[in-house]
Amino acid sequence: MHPSDLWKRPTGRPLIMGILNMTPDSFSDGGAHPSKESALAHAYKIIDDGADILDVGGESSRPGADPVSAEEEVRRVIGVIRELAQTVSVPISIDTTKPYVAEEALKAGASIINDIGGLRNEALLDIAISYDVPAVIAHMYGTPRTFGTETMEGDVLIEVKKFLKERAEHSISKGMKESNIILDPGIGFGKTPEQDMRMIENSGWFGGGYPVLIGPSRKRFLSQYYPGMDRDEATAAASRTAADSGAGILRVHDVPGVLSALCRPQ
């Protein structure tokens, strides 16, 4: 099955993208996988728990995070991706902004590119097109180093939708298939808590005919809107809101918790 066929299935719920962070400095679970074996074990658990897609990343996007080299990213993720591609049936996504990392991951068996940079790197866009794979085009204001200190101004719905529309149109003009485009408004990527929540409550607004990915998992804004809940409980609640407002894919750490929230009667 080509990955873009996934969101054509009548599942009755958004697809779940489970997160496998191969980073020592992730804000939520970095350092949890000191070996390839522990990373694989966690990946298999994510899939057994019901994830439809596995998203593997080797560079943290937490607020304040420092960038890492492409070579270090490749060292962290390629061995795990190669083995997973030989042993699991769900599509594997590579979470990166770097063309070299993306291409090495695709060669190793990944079949989706998840780019928080919005495919503004033309070399990365060219790789997505040449390999004929779906790509997540995300909105990001600033960089991970500035997420916690600089936030966007203006109407977040209008500005983010405008950016995503322009990037989708540009990608198509370069040769990308419409069926390979996924849009992500970028929860937590240079937005205020109020902006993040507004985007979640209007997830479908950003689609324009494309699947919308929402990634609220364990992010800081949740404590403001879901007091008294831990971050996984709050993630599940926010994911249910996103699903009800039109999200097609939910990127999360706690797959069972989110699936339970999606199936729970209101």
Side-chain angles (χ1 to χ4, degrees):
M1 178 190 297
H2 191 273
S4 63
D5 291 331
L6 276 173
W7 35 93
K8 299 174 185 175
R9 297 184 305 169
T11 60
R13 60 163 175 78
L15 297 174
I16 303 300
M17 176 183 275
I19 300 169
L20 180 66
N21 279 326
M22 301 294 296
T23 58
D25 58 345
S26 172
F27 75 96
S28 61
D29 61 354
H33 313 300
S35 69
K36 177 181 174 182
E37 290 70 26
S38 66
L40 288 168
H42 188 58
Y44 295 138
K45 182 180 186 303
I46 292 170
I47 294 167
D48 288 343
D49 284 341
D52 302 289
I53 303 166
L54 185 68
D55 192 44
V56 182
E59 180 177 35
S60 177
S61 59
R62 67 171 176 79
D66 291 320
V68 302
S69 69
E71 292 74 18
E72 175 62 15
E73 249 186 274
V74 164
R75 186 194 67 78
R76 292 176 180 180
V77 303
I78 295 304
V80 170
I81 290 174
R82 184 174 291 113
E83 185 152 344
L84 287 170
Q86 297 170 356
T87 54
V88 303
S89 58
V90 303
I92 299 167
S93 169
I94 176 63
D95 180 2
T96 188
T97 62
K98 301 181 180 71
Y100 174 66
V101 178
E103 186 159 24
E104 290 301 305
L106 294 174
K107 290 177 181 177
S111 55
I112 300 172
I113 296 171
N114 181 11
D115 175 25
I116 66 170
L119 285 189
R120 285 176 287 186
N121 186 313
E122 290 294 319
L124 186 55
L125 173 58
D126 289 342
I127 288 168
I129 293 169
S130 63
Y131 281 82
D132 187 23
V133 294
V136 179
I137 301 174
H139 179 276
M140 175 174 64
Y141 182 81
T143 68
R145 293 200 70 179
T146 65
F147 285 167
T149 57
E150 298 178 12
T151 54
M152 65 179 296
E153 299 179 355
D155 188 317
V156 68
L157 296 186
I158 298 296
E159 294 301 319
V160 172
K161 184 171 184 175
K162 178 183 177 183
F163 171 85
L164 295 175
K165 182 175 183 290
E166 288 174 350
R167 295 311 306 160
E169 290 175 348
H170 176 75
S171 299
I172 292 168
S173 75
K174 292 293 185 177
M176 180 170 247
K177 295 177 181 176
E178 291 187 21
S179 59
N180 280 339
I181 292 175
I182 306 162
L183 303 180
D184 176 359
I187 303 298
F189 293 166
K191 285 90 171 179
T192 66
E194 293 77 13
Q195 289 171 332
D196 284 331
M197 199 64 212
R198 192 172 176 215
M199 291 193 298
I200 286 174
E201 292 171 343
N202 293 275
S203 298
W205 162 262
F206 302 101
Y210 302 111
V212 175
L213 183 152
I214 296 291
S217 197
R218 297 178 179 172
K219 292 188 176 176
R220 295 178 180 181
F221 81 97
L222 294 168
S223 61
Q224 178 171 321
Y225 286 92
Y226 302 96
M229 293 185 182
D230 66 33
R231 286 202 179 179
D232 281 335
E233 293 171 332
T235 296
S239 296
R240 176 63 182 262
T241 297
D244 290 344
S245 64
I249 306 171
L250 298 169
R251 182 180 181 273
V252 300
H253 296 85
D254 179 20
V255 174
V258 170
L259 284 173
S260 177
L262 294 180
C263 296
R264 191 178 305 131
Q266 289 191 346

